[in-house]
Amino acid sequence: MHPVFLVNGVPASGKSTVAAIVARRLSLPLLTVDTVKEAFFDHLGIGDRDYSRKLGRASYDAIFASIAGFPDGLGAVIDAWHKFVPLDVLEARLARAAAGPVVEIWCHAPPEVCAERYRARAAFRHPGHPPASYAPELADLAARATPIGLWPVVDVETRTPADEDALMLRVREAAGLHRA
């Protein structure tokens, strides 16, 4: 089995910052949909939103296929908006990866904060991602987004930096891990 930490939330919700902390503190690989997707953009080209979503799904599949090949007991931290795929797809990917235990780390901030973060970083992101004009749509998504909630959920409000020790205590408890 492979312990999997699903760092979940809409774009610009603070996932990458939280995922980096969890991966570092648990000494686990950090796998991000954006990193894989950007490599695909570089090799296959940039297209419209449907094309971007297609590459996102391929990136997601690649991440879980990679975990399936890890040595037994080695897990991963996965940074993604996990609700961009249907629940049955996520469950199939977790099964393929022999994931367990699974912990969802739910990152969120007020919609206007997510939108402003997105606008601020849009000019510096890979050109395959939606432009700054996506921010209002993102704010609408952030206003209605919720965790998946099928596994233990560690809730992280990201307006202010996380207290790493407190965060990791909650993550370890959710996963049934003893302090190392």
Side-chain angles (χ1 to χ4, degrees):
M1 296 295 286
H2 305 287
V4 171
F5 298 85
L6 302 173
V7 182
N8 191 18
V10 301
S13 62
K15 295 182 306 297
S16 297
T17 300
V18 171
I21 292 167
V22 174
R24 179 175 46 81
R25 295 284 295 263
L26 293 178
S27 298
L28 290 174
L30 172 57
L31 305 172
T32 72
V33 167
D34 282 352
T35 299
V36 177
K37 187 176 177 180
E38 290 168 6
F40 286 159
F41 284 143
D42 290 343
H43 289 279
L44 302 172
I46 297 168
D48 61 13
R49 289 275 297 273
D50 287 337
Y51 179 76
S52 178
R53 288 179 180 120
K54 182 178 182 177
L55 291 187
R57 290 187 300 273
S59 301
Y60 205 63
D61 289 350
I63 285 171
F64 286 101
S66 297
I67 294 169
F70 285 3
D72 194 39
L74 178 61
V77 176
I78 306 171
D79 171 352
W81 166 229
H82 292 281
K83 289 180 95 173
F84 86 98
V85 296
L87 182 56
D88 62 325
V89 170
L90 173 56
E91 291 177 315
R93 298 304 173 266
L94 288 165
R96 176 182 183 185
V102 176
V103 173
E104 180 181 6
I105 302 169
W106 175 244
C107 298
H108 59 93
E112 63 278 4
V113 171
C114 293
E116 183 51 39
R117 286 176 181 166
Y118 195 88
R119 277 188 213 93
R121 72 182 194 193
F124 306 102
R125 296 200 71 210
H126 193 284
H129 295 289
S133 60
Y134 172 68
E137 183 180 338
L138 172 61
D140 290 343
L141 177 62
R144 62 181 191 279
T146 59
I148 298 165
L150 292 182
W151 309 279
V153 175
V154 176
D155 186 273
V156 184
E157 207 292 345
T158 64
R159 274 184 288 190
T160 58
D163 174 331
E164 288 190 25
D165 291 334
L167 170 64
M168 292 313 301
L169 180 61
R170 292 186 300 137
V171 168
R172 288 177 175 284
E173 286 174 356
L177 300 173
H178 299 302
R179 227 176 214 278

